Amino acid sequence: MSNVIEMKEITKIFPGVVANDKVNFSLEKGEIHVLLGENGAGKTTLMNILYGLYQPTSGEIFVNGEKSAIKSPTTAIKLGIGMVHQHFMLVQPFTIAENIVLGNEPAKAGGLRIDMKTAVDNVQKISDEFGLAVDPNIKIQDISVGMQQRVEILKALYRGAEVLILDEPTAVLTPQEIDELGDILKNLTKEGKSIILITHKLKEVMSMSDRITVIRRGVVVETLKTSDTDADSLAELMVGRKVKLTSDRTEKQAGSVILSVKNLKVKDSRKLDAIKDVSFEVKAGEILAIAGVDGNGQRELVEALNGLRKIESGEVMISGIDTTHFHTKDINEIGVGHIPEDRQKRGLVMDYTLAENMILGYHKKEPFSKNGIMNYPEVHKHGKKLIAEFDIRTPSENVLAKSLSGGNQQKVIIAREFYIDPQLLIAAQPTRGLDVGSIEFVHKRLLEQRENNKAVLLISLELDEVLGLADRIAVIYQGKIVGVLDAKDATERKLGIMMAGGQLEEGVKPS
Ligand SMILES: Nc1ncnc2c1ncn2[C@@H]1O[C@H](COP(=O)(O)OP(=O)(O)OP(=O)(O)O)[C@@H](O)[C@H]1O
Ligand SMILES: [Mg+2]
């Protein structure tokens, strides 16, 4: 087999961090090669170098055996390297075809007008060739996240990508979409494409890849064949210690009602009914999980409970206080923590330092400020403490949030929201983008909240997580709770049926 990509002795130094340390990495033609490693290990950095977004401090890159200086993504694309980022860069009101040809339009003979018909035909052809099942005429705003991702893949193929880099593509997909992506990637390799995949989900690593390179703190630990390893060994290789992939839950009696939601109605951003007459309760010492396929109202529900979205009718009570029409700030005041789904939009101010981000929402309180004056020594002390406690990989608390790795950004939010020890914690996709070691840690902390008689509302697309942590599981489908299961009666299969809108005969209490 020949190597389409060879990265030799790649080093990348950021202020205070060696993100890649003499990394050797090669990609064979037609393989799916996973890059695996802890949060902050240097995976995204290495791929940003290959795609020309960063220049290495030292080291060489060979593309099809030829030494290449990849000065920018334009060069990368010319060399046949395409990258699908985690945050999609699509224009919402444009059609799929328009997005794909954007910046690369076939011009009508003699004129500057775009030949849309040729564009649509070309896009359709590539879609058919690789089994992507994309309709070029639909607008981006009307398609699911999974479909948007396919559009990004198509866009790279349209530009002639032979090598495709995917950075955590499955973090936002449903289990079914993940299977479909697996099939698509296999198809692509059959047609001779080569793929580099970054993912933290060991199940996918095992089912999708041919080879795996494990990186720890910027250094390659090992490159191995997938058929020669298993999930447990990979977890250990990556973190450097044994990791428990399942959590311990003790028997526990739930206490008084902390969150009570009655007949809640909420609209989405397009003014359509997103939450339709939903009622449920979360008690002290209990974790209630909301399970469901993405886009069934979870986002609107969480925003409504946190005062970020208007409640049309119904009632929300938290610790006996009617918060239905409260502002976010006042909801925080009564001891509600919120881990938002979109960490870059809702969770962090990307241009603030870590220390500042860690007191967001509490910055006007003692000890962080007094009589309107910030107490910076305290703010820094607090930042340092949380960085150590939550094992956030960063040179210091003075670093801007935007320069942290994705998983470490997530850990900053988690640290801040746990720190206030909330009566009620609303955790939306709390472990998205985290490595196995960090997931283990966050799960332990969520169970501790329960142990300490706090209430937790967990919103998660990960059925393993839901089944491992929750006392009760409410399934949401098209804006309604279609059933609430006791965790001990729940199985992945039962939940799957309910999440798809199907009915179970027994064991389901309609809400
Ligand atoms: N633009 C930047 N400026 C400064 N430091 C950076 C920058 N980009 C990355 N880093 C640092 O480089 C290190 C590696 O980050 P990288 O994003 O490559 O990690 P990762 O392996 O992709 O982690 P994750 O799984 O959390 O996404 C981290 O310590 C990060 O803080
Ligand atoms: Mg990353």
Side-chain angles (χ1 to χ4, degrees):
M1 283 255 190
S2 57
N3 286 332
V4 276
I5 299 289
E6 254 178 272
M7 301 182 84
K8 286 191 179 161
E9 302 281 306
I10 297 285
T11 293
K12 178 69 185 176
I13 299 174
F14 290 115
V17 193
V18 183
N20 291 150
D21 190 358
K22 297 204 179 75
V23 169
N24 289 305
F25 174 81
S26 66
L27 181 68
E28 286 175 3
K29 187 168 167 59
E31 76 165 335
I32 301 181
H33 195 140
V34 161
L35 267 185
L36 189 67
E38 284 180 285
N39 296 128
K43 306 176 295 290
T44 298
T45 301
L46 188 69
M47 289 304 105
N48 281 342
I49 289 172
L50 182 58
Y51 193 56
L53 285 165
Y54 292 155
Q55 295 307 305
T57 309
S58 62
E60 296 177 333
I61 301 175
F62 294 81
V63 181
N64 297 317
E66 244 177 73
K67 189 171 158 183
S68 310
I70 308 179
K71 292 278 176 232
S72 69
T74 315
T75 321
I77 291 164
K78 276 198 191 119
L79 290 165
I81 301 166
M83 185 160 178
V84 176
H85 293 274
Q86 213 180 345
H87 294 270
F88 305 144
M89 299 169 185
L90 301 170
V91 188
Q92 293 289 326
F94 281 20
T95 68
I96 291 180
E98 285 165 345
N99 267 278
I100 288 174
V101 301
L102 201 66
N104 216 349
E105 301 92 345
K108 270 194 173 156
L112 285 171
R113 294 226 352 260
I114 301 166
D115 179 358
M116 259 340 271
K117 169 138 187 7
T118 309
V120 167
D121 288 349
N122 287 347
V123 169
Q124 189 70 59
K125 212 159 63 201
I126 303 174
S127 171
D128 293 345
E129 185 181 347
F130 297 103
L132 287 165
V134 163
D135 177 348
N137 295 306
I138 302 181
K139 286 187 179 161
I140 300 295
Q141 65 201 19
D142 296 327
I143 62 177
S144 68
V145 174
M147 194 52 90
Q148 292 190 33
Q149 187 171 63
R150 290 183 193 193
V151 175
E152 289 281 9
I153 294 174
L154 247 176
K155 199 168 164 181
L157 295 171
Y158 184 85
R159 283 161 175 65
E162 289 300 320
V163 170
L164 206 55
I165 306 164
L166 296 129
D167 193 349
E168 297 191 44
T170 63
V172 291
L173 299 187
T174 63
Q176 199 203 331
E177 287 173 332
I178 292 174
D179 289 344
E180 288 168 7
L181 179 68
D183 293 341
I184 290 171
L185 297 185
K186 282 255 150 59
N187 263 342
L188 289 169
T189 57
K190 271 197 213 120
E191 303 288 327
K193 309 286 180 192
S194 316
I195 292 165
I196 306 171
L197 180 65
I198 299 177
T199 174
H200 289 292
K201 299 183 187 172
L202 297 172
K203 239 198 255 173
E204 288 162 25
V205 175
M206 292 309 299
S207 71
M208 288 185 188
S209 70
D210 300 298
R211 285 198 303 160
I212 302 155
T213 290
V214 182
I215 307 186
R216 196 192 303 156
R217 297 185 187 245
V219 181
V220 171
V221 182
E222 204 174 327
T223 296
L224 50 158
K225 273 200 178 136
T226 309
S227 52
D228 292 344
T229 187
D230 56 53
D232 286 335
S233 323
L234 286 175
E236 195 172 339
L237 255 187
M238 177 179 156
V239 183
R241 63 175 169 86
K242 281 223 178 300
V243 178
K244 268 186 64 192
L245 296 172
T246 51
S247 34
D248 296 321
R249 280 172 77 256
T250 50
E251 272 301 312
K252 193 167 183 345
Q253 198 67 42
S256 56
V257 172
I258 300 291
L259 170 67
S260 150
V261 175
K262 279 199 193 116
N263 304 111
L264 194 70
K265 289 188 182 166
V266 181
K267 289 194 189 303
D268 66 15
S269 307
R270 289 193 280 164
K271 300 268 176 276
L272 302 174
D273 296 335
I275 291 295
K276 306 165 188 165
D277 201 16
V278 157
S279 304
F280 62 88
E281 287 179 341
V282 191
K283 299 188 178 113
E286 178 184 57
I287 299 180
L288 175 81
I290 308 265
V293 174
D294 202 15
N296 275 284
Q298 294 96 319
R299 195 162 303 132
E300 290 79 8
L301 173 64
V302 168
E303 288 178 354
L305 295 179
N306 283 298
L308 296 161
R309 183 173 286 278
K310 188 175 157 243
I311 292 173
E312 302 293 329
S313 63
E315 180 193 81
V316 179
M317 302 273 288
I318 299 173
S319 304
I321 301 168
D322 183 344
T323 64
T324 313
H325 300 294
F326 269 32
H327 288 296
T328 306
K329 192 169 103 349
D330 302 315
I331 294 174
N332 290 344
E333 276 308 305
I334 56 175
V336 177
H338 176 205
I339 300 170
E341 171 178 22
D342 188 335
R343 57 180 167 244
Q344 304 210 342
K345 234 197 272 166
R346 295 255 192 235
L348 295 170
V349 181
M350 299 305 273
D351 285 315
Y352 281 13
T353 66
L354 291 197
E356 288 163 344
N357 268 291
M358 279 162 167
I359 56 160
L360 271 190
Y362 318 103
H363 52 286
K364 287 190 180 148
K365 291 206 173 144
E366 286 193 53
F368 307 124
S369 84
K370 202 171 178 182
N371 305 326
I373 298 166
M374 294 291 286
N375 181 348
Y376 274 106
E378 277 302 323
V379 174
H380 284 277
K381 203 169 101 192
H382 179 67
K384 280 201 173 77
K385 180 171 158 261
L386 291 190
I387 285 169
E389 191 181 334
F390 286 80
D391 191 20
I392 296 166
R393 304 283 166 87
T394 173
S396 86
E397 77 279 10
N398 298 316
V399 162
L400 300 185
K402 67 178 171 198
S403 73
L404 247 61
S405 81
N408 282 295
Q409 290 175 356
Q410 182 70 9
K411 289 205 238 174
V412 172
I413 298 171
I414 286 176
R416 180 183 71 213
E417 300 304 311
F418 272 112
Y419 168 75
I420 56 163
D421 194 19
Q423 283 303 322
L424 168 67
L425 178 63
I426 301 176
Q429 320 302 344
T431 60
R432 179 174 282 176
L434 294 188
D435 66 52
V436 284
S438 305
I439 291 176
E440 181 194 30
F441 178 80
V442 170
H443 284 178
K444 223 161 64 193
R445 295 295 299 251
L446 286 170
L447 288 170
E448 263 170 40
Q449 290 293 109
R450 171 183 182 267
E451 238 6 81
N452 296 333
N453 281 320
K454 302 291 163 60
V456 177
L457 177 65
L458 170 70
I459 297 90
S460 176
L461 300 177
E462 306 287 334
L463 287 185
D464 292 347
E465 179 162 274
V466 164
L467 287 164
L469 297 176
D471 296 282
R472 291 184 304 133
I473 303 166
V475 178
I476 193 165
Y477 177 69
Q478 295 188 342
K480 288 187 181 152
I481 303 281
V482 292
V484 183
L485 289 175
D486 251 352
K488 39 183 192 308
D489 304 326
T491 61
E492 202 158 318
R493 205 187 73 85
K494 274 190 197 174
L495 290 176
I497 294 173
M498 292 166 71
M499 281 162 58
Q503 293 289 321
L504 289 183
E505 293 82 51
E506 39 174 341
V508 183
K509 289 170 247 151
S511 69

